[in-house]
Amino acid sequence: MAEILALVEARLRTALGEPDARAAVTFLGTDRIEVLRFIDGDVVRYATLGMSAQPMADPTATLADPVKGPRAELVLSVRVGLAETDQVLRRLAVLAASPQVEGVIVAPGASLEVGEPLWPGAPFSSVLVAEPGGLVEDLELEEPMEPVRFLPLLPMTHNEAAWKRVRGAQELQERWLSQGTDLRDPLRTSVALD
């Protein structure tokens, strides 16, 4: 486990630079989850470290495979200085612990809900899990382990989350794109939905 996390942290440093801060959270019955903060000009990126230590298990399986299964870490990017976004650290750790706590598999297209604003004054309490590979490349591990995927998180307003449940992740992302939505704006309003 420690070896995998060392490789994951090295991949994050290669892609995002040196973290300027880190915080650790441990939930009862789970492994420790860290959240690293990287500043890149006017964007701050938060990346989890610890979610990939164990593979995510199918919640319907009677026994969890300790080696095989998808592995992931979460990455959130927002603009610096517009909101108290550092308060998102605990919420990201909660999301990263959800495979261990709730037995869910976090994959692209999924919605994750924290039940409270991501940071003070945020119009978002949920995120859409986007496709990996853009910002941080997948980290290949020795067979039979699956690669670690770095999943971008896109904050959703309540209206967007409800619309996504009905219309799907693809249509929501297309709506964001067609409207020129700045998904890194920590104070943005909901995209126009019909």
Side-chain angles (χ1 to χ4, degrees):
M1 177 175 102
E3 182 181 315
I4 290 171
L5 294 184
L7 292 171
V8 169
E9 184 168 353
R11 174 59 53 94
L12 286 169
R13 287 172 184 264
T14 300
L16 305 176
E18 287 298 311
D20 77 324
R22 63 193 312 145
V25 180
T26 305
F27 302 100
L28 188 63
T30 67
D31 296 326
R32 172 181 154 133
I33 302 287
E34 287 189 85
V35 179
L36 284 60
R37 184 179 72 186
F38 301 87
I39 304 288
D40 180 16
D42 69 339
V43 174
V44 60
R45 302 186 199 286
Y46 302 96
T48 63
L49 179 62
M51 182 178 172
S52 62
Q54 304 294 328
M56 292 181 271
D58 182 342
T60 62
T62 53
L63 214 54
D65 190 313
V67 177
K68 293 181 184 175
R71 294 175 190 262
E73 296 291 351
L74 308 174
V75 181
L76 173 70
S77 300
V78 292
R79 298 218 177 278
V80 173
L82 302 176
E84 295 178 45
T85 56
D86 281 350
Q87 300 294 318
V88 78
L89 299 175
R90 183 164 180 77
R91 281 109 176 144
L92 281 179
V94 167
L95 296 177
S98 63
Q100 290 182 55
V101 175
E102 299 172 25
V104 297
I105 294 180
V106 177
S111 298
L112 302 176
E113 173 70 44
V114 293
E116 60 185 337
L118 292 177
W119 49 82
F124 322 105
S125 62
S126 62
V127 293
L128 174 65
V129 181
E131 291 290 333
L135 189 60
V136 184
E137 288 184 32
D138 292 353
L139 173 64
E140 297 293 330
L141 300 175
E142 288 183 26
E143 293 288 337
M145 292 185 284
E146 292 186 29
V148 175
R149 302 169 83 197
F150 297 87
L151 302 172
L153 300 180
L154 308 175
M156 294 187 292
T157 65
H158 294 293
N159 288 344
E160 290 168 341
W163 201 78
K164 182 256 175 195
R165 282 192 291 277
V166 174
R167 304 290 283 272
Q170 182 68 34
E171 282 200 38
L172 178 59
Q173 289 179 302
E174 287 172 7
R175 180 58 57 105
W176 282 334
L177 191 59
S178 70
Q179 301 287 322
T181 306
D182 180 2
L183 296 173
R184 294 179 180 168
D185 180 351
L187 301 174
R188 74 173 179 84
T189 57
S190 186
V191 70
L193 305 167
D194 43 41

